[in-house]
Amino acid sequence: MVSQMAQQPFAVIKDFMNDPMIKTKGIDPNLVGVSSNYFAVISHIQIDKTQVRLQSIIKRDAQSKVSVYSRQESLWYEKLSEKK
């Protein structure tokens, strides 16, 4: 189901509820929603041979104030091809 959603996400809750994998589970459609106060922000930065990947989870509170909930950083060096 995840790979299916990556190719073509559900447009509306009704489409999700009619999916064969979900339809047989007896899920109450009144308990299904599409809202969130958490969002992922992924950044890729390259300076010379150094690359940094930064993944942040952002949280929005009841007053719409945004703050960083968590952050993960990956640092690696790129091997550049040499010109001959």
Side-chain angles (χ1 to χ4, degrees):
M1 177 179 272
V2 173
S3 61
Q4 173 192 344
M5 286 179 52
Q7 294 173 10
Q8 183 175 1
F10 297 107
V12 293
I13 293 174
K14 183 179 176 183
D15 293 343
F16 174 76
M17 296 303 296
N18 286 329
D19 185 275
M21 290 181 65
I22 300 301
K23 201 171 192 173
T24 61
K25 303 297 181 195
I27 298 172
D28 181 353
N30 296 315
L31 300 177
V32 178
V34 290
S35 63
S36 179
N37 289 319
Y38 294 87
F39 307 91
V41 177
I42 300 172
S43 305
H44 295 271
I45 302 161
Q46 179 175 349
I47 300 173
D48 197 22
K49 297 179 183 179
T50 305
Q51 293 187 24
V52 178
R53 179 181 183 270
L54 185 65
Q55 179 174 337
S56 303
I57 304 297
I58 307 299
K59 179 183 178 186
R60 179 178 57 201
D61 68 15
Q63 290 78 37
S64 296
K65 181 181 175 188
V66 176
S67 60
V68 176
Y69 181 74
S70 70
R71 180 170 284 153
Q72 180 179 359
E73 181 179 321
S74 302
L75 175 69
W76 68 94
Y77 297 95
E78 179 180 302
K79 187 175 184 179
L80 300 175
S81 61
E82 295 179 19
K83 293 183 180 179
K84 293 185 181 183

